[in-house]
């Protein structure tokens, strides 16, 4: 998935590879990986496919990596000048490529039984089984401290399954 979003120029908006005329023509993978290594020191650079289990970073570094990618994905727009045959790109923040990225990551997570998902804000969150979601959404807080009850009601919806709309009883 990483190579796909490098190759389709979606990461070139934030990490541009420019020609001699300052036109963005590719994703500068070296610049991307330098920033990535600075933000997530546990990540192995260069990013490459590997089937060796001992070569994988910890799961939190991988989740941070996915959030990093999501944050930096832009929608490339192919621009071609009439006097030159080389493609170059400008970028928009329409979110189409970010949506595609989320769909692919969430499908991969679901298919492999990973208990995380990436939401529309690009945050990785833990999901819970749907069978349990109904039970825990019907909760009310009665600690005897009204301020604590209010804080729990505010915090509680952020903890659970993304497909469930959590509504708490007063």
């Amino acid at each position: 998935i990483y190579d796909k979003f490098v190759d389709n120029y979606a990461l070139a908006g934030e990490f541009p590879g420019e020609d001699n005329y300052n036109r963005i023509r590719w994703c500068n993978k070296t610049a991307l990986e330098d920033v990535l290594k600075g933000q997530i020191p546990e990540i192995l650079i260069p990013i490459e496919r590997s089937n060796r289990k001992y070569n994988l970073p910890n799961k939190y570094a991988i989740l941070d990596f996915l959030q990093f990618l999501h944050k930096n994905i832009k929608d490339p727009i192919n621009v071609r000048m009439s006097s030159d045959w080389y493609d170059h790109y400008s970028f928009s923040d329409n979110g189409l490529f970010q949506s595609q990225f989320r769909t692919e990551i969430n499908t991969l997570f679901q298919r492999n039984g990973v208990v995380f998902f990436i939401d529309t804000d690009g945050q990785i969150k833990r999901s819970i089984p749907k069978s349990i979601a109904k039970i825990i959404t019907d909760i009310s807080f009665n600690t005897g401290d009204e301020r604590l009850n209010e804080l729990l009601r505010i915090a509680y919806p952020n903890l659970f399954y993304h497909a469930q709309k959590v509504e708490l009883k007063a």
Side-chain angles (χ1 to χ4, degrees):
I1 291 175
Y2 169 70
D3 287 336
K4 175 182 176 180
F5 284 88
V6 167
D7 293 343
N8 71 9
Y9 308 100
L11 292 161
E14 292 296 321
F15 304 98
E18 297 178 342
D19 65 12
N20 293 337
Y21 303 102
N22 296 326
R23 295 176 298 193
I24 300 173
R25 301 273 311 282
W26 62 86
C27 174
N28 184 336
K29 204 169 175 179
T30 302
L32 185 157
E33 291 179 353
D34 286 347
V35 171
L36 182 61
K37 186 67 175 174
Q39 291 187 15
I40 310 168
E42 301 84 20
I43 205 79
L44 301 172
I45 301 296
I47 304 296
E48 56 188 25
R49 287 184 211 172
S50 174
N51 293 327
R52 298 175 294 206
K53 290 184 179 182
Y54 65 86
N55 211 18
L56 295 175
N58 70 52
K59 70 179 172 184
Y60 298 109
I62 293 170
L63 297 176
D64 286 344
F65 171 63
L66 295 174
Q67 285 184 171
F68 172 88
L69 291 178
H70 184 275
K71 178 179 78 172
N72 289 292
I73 288 174
K74 305 284 183 214
D75 295 339
I77 300 166
N78 189 313
V79 177
R80 182 176 282 176
M81 306 284 280
S82 60
S83 64
D84 122 9
W85 293 102
Y86 296 107
D87 292 346
H88 58 279
Y89 297 87
S90 66
F91 298 86
S92 77
D93 288 322
N94 291 333
L96 299 173
F97 279 65
Q98 281 184 334
S99 177
Q100 179 185 4
F101 178 79
R102 283 191 309 273
T103 298
E104 290 186 33
I105 294 300
N106 288 334
T107 299
L108 187 65
F109 282 172
Q110 186 177 28
R111 184 176 50 229
N112 291 292
V114 177
V115 297
F116 294 99
F117 66 95
I118 187 167
D119 70 6
T120 56
D121 295 330
Q123 296 298 306
I124 303 280
K125 295 182 178 174
R126 185 180 297 272
S127 59
I128 61 170
K130 290 180 182 181
S131 58
I132 296 174
K134 177 68 176 134
I135 297 167
I136 62 175
T137 57
D138 290 336
I139 193 168
S140 63
F141 300 103
N142 188 13
T143 65
D145 180 338
E146 284 304 313
R147 178 69 177 140
L148 178 57
N149 291 344
E150 178 186 355
L151 292 172
L152 289 169
R153 277 193 293 276
I154 291 168
Y156 191 76
N158 294 319
L159 301 175
F160 300 105
Y161 191 72
H162 70 289
Q164 285 289 128
K165 180 175 178 165
V166 177
E167 294 180 16
L168 302 175
K169 297 178 182 176

